[in-house]
Amino acid sequence: MLSQPRPPGRRRATLALAAAGALAVALTACTTSDKGVSATGSGPVAGTTPNASTSATSAAPTRSSASPATSVRCRTSDLRASIGPNDPGAGQENFAVVLTNGSGRTCTVYGFPGIAFVDGAGEAVTPDPERATGQEEPTVTLKPGASAWSALTFTNPEVTGVTTVTPAAVLVTQPDETKSFKLAWKGGKVSNTGKASVPQVSPFRPGDGG
């Protein structure tokens, strides 16, 4: 049998339904795609910069909340030097090596003095004094007229029986400087062996040792 042609109205209705179905599928796909971006967070929110805080943290250097205080080191030209009288006790000879700020500015002293016992020609006559160990090394701030001192001590050479020499002078050099103060030595005999009664110096501390 020959098939009967469909009425035109029914064909148009079928095409309309098919078009409507295709449109519904397309709308569903778009909606699903939009929801997927929001759920995963793979894209930036409009109006924001991605990872802004992380970038700033990585680029900026870490800094301390407070900057270290700066100080001006005393120079040889700022200071006067002296050696106090002997203050003996328990077989020890004890002297104060004193640096006084003679300038009009505040400055600092830190560390050990350089000490050299010399003859009249300026030649060393004893080994270099040793540095005392186990003592605090403060930074001493010297206002104009203020002083710092280092203890110069040694066992009386008569106690240890070592050979001695009587220096004519002492060269005193402040820490981190190369120029020395030449001071007359009035402390008597000093060991020249380096084996016993070897002089020791302490770090500078506030005051004049009095």
Side-chain angles (χ1 to χ4, degrees), residues 152-164:
L152 170 63
T153 65
F154 54 89
T155 302
N156 188 321
E158 293 182 0
V159 174
T160 57
V162 295
T163 60
T164 62

Side-chain angles (χ1 to χ4, degrees), residues 31-99:
T31 303
T32 304
S33 176
D34 290 343
K35 288 182 179 180
V37 170
S38 298
T40 60
S42 60
V45 178
T48 65
T49 302
N51 300 326
S53 60
T54 303
S55 300
T57 302
S58 301
T62 302
R63 295 183 179 181
S64 172
S65 58
S67 300
T70 57
S71 59
V72 179
R73 179 170 58 85
C74 296
R75 308 306 297 262
T76 303
S77 58
D78 296 324
L79 303 172
R80 301 189 306 268
S82 60
I83 296 181
N86 188 13
D87 184 20
Q92 290 291 113
E93 311 301 315
N94 304 296
F95 302 86
V97 179
V98 182
L99 296 180

Side-chain angles (χ1 to χ4, degrees), residues 44-198:
V45 178
T48 65
T49 302
N51 300 326
S53 60
T54 303
S55 300
T57 302
S58 301
T62 302
R63 295 183 179 181
S64 172
S65 58
S67 300
T70 57
S71 59
V72 179
R73 179 170 58 85
C74 296
R75 308 306 297 262
T76 303
S77 58
D78 296 324
L79 303 172
R80 301 189 306 268
S82 60
I83 296 181
N86 188 13
D87 184 20
Q92 290 291 113
E93 311 301 315
N94 304 296
F95 302 86
V97 179
V98 182
L99 296 180
T100 301
N101 184 1
S103 73
R105 68 188 183 105
T106 298
C107 58
T108 61
V109 172
Y110 171 82
F112 296 82
I115 299 291
F117 293 97
V118 298
D119 58 20
E123 298 295 327
V125 293
T126 72
D128 291 337
E130 298 175 349
R131 292 184 174 186
T133 60
Q135 298 188 19
E136 183 181 0
E137 297 181 37
T139 297
V140 184
T141 300
L142 298 181
K143 294 181 178 181
S147 298
W149 72 287
S150 167
L152 170 63
T153 65
F154 54 89
T155 302
N156 188 321
E158 293 182 0
V159 174
T160 57
V162 295
T163 60
T164 62
V165 65
T166 301
V170 178
L171 301 183
V172 177
T173 309
Q174 72 174 96
D176 301 316
E177 290 286 302
T178 56
K179 294 182 179 180
S180 300
F181 300 96
K182 187 175 183 179
L183 307 173
W185 174 247
K186 300 178 181 180
K189 297 178 180 180
V190 179
S191 169
N192 63 351
T193 66
K195 298 179 180 179
S197 296
V198 179

